[in-house]
Amino acid sequence: MSRKQPYFAVKYNAVKKRRGHKKAIIAIARMMMVCIYQMISEKKPFAPTDYEALMDSHEQKKRVVLNEENALAFLAAQGYDTSQLVKCNDN
């Protein structure tokens, strides 16, 4: 898997989240075999249809840190009244 073109790595991570490591390995191996078969039979280069959307979403993922300020801002954006919330320290 290439660091410059992580197509199958991104696919693997998506399957792994849902199904686990072993099933993800089998699923990616099957995807690769289907791709190889299509490339050989049609004599065309590897060009998946979802490549652009997959790579764009992979590059633009924004990490959000969950803290008190972000949680209150999210609740306010959803329409909740956060003025009556009380902070509780359960150390």
Side-chain angles (χ1 to χ4, degrees):
M1 294 187 200
S2 172
R3 292 192 188 278
K4 292 183 181 178
Q5 296 181 346
Y7 178 76
F8 287 110
V10 172
K11 288 284 198 176
Y12 165 79
N13 288 327
V15 174
K16 182 182 173 188
K17 286 179 188 176
R18 292 183 314 234
R19 304 286 181 187
H21 169 72
K22 289 182 180 181
K23 289 190 179 190
I25 293 291
I26 299 301
I28 296 302
R30 183 182 183 283
M31 283 183 206
M32 287 180 169
M33 291 303 295
V34 169
C35 290
I36 291 169
Y37 176 79
Q38 292 296 324
M39 289 177 357
I40 291 171
S41 67
E42 296 178 6
K43 296 181 179 158
K44 293 183 180 178
F46 177 65
T49 56
D50 64 341
Y51 184 79
E52 292 297 325
L54 190 67
M55 292 300 117
D56 286 343
S57 67
H58 180 67
E59 295 292 326
Q60 295 177 357
K61 281 188 178 177
K62 182 181 175 185
R63 297 272 182 187
V64 177
V65 178
L66 184 61
N67 58 23
E68 182 181 344
E69 182 180 319
N70 289 343
L72 291 175
F74 174 75
L75 289 173
Q78 296 296 316
Y80 291 99
D81 181 21
T82 58
S83 64
Q84 297 178 1
L85 293 176
V86 177
K87 185 175 180 179
C88 179
N89 291 329
D90 288 341
N91 293 333

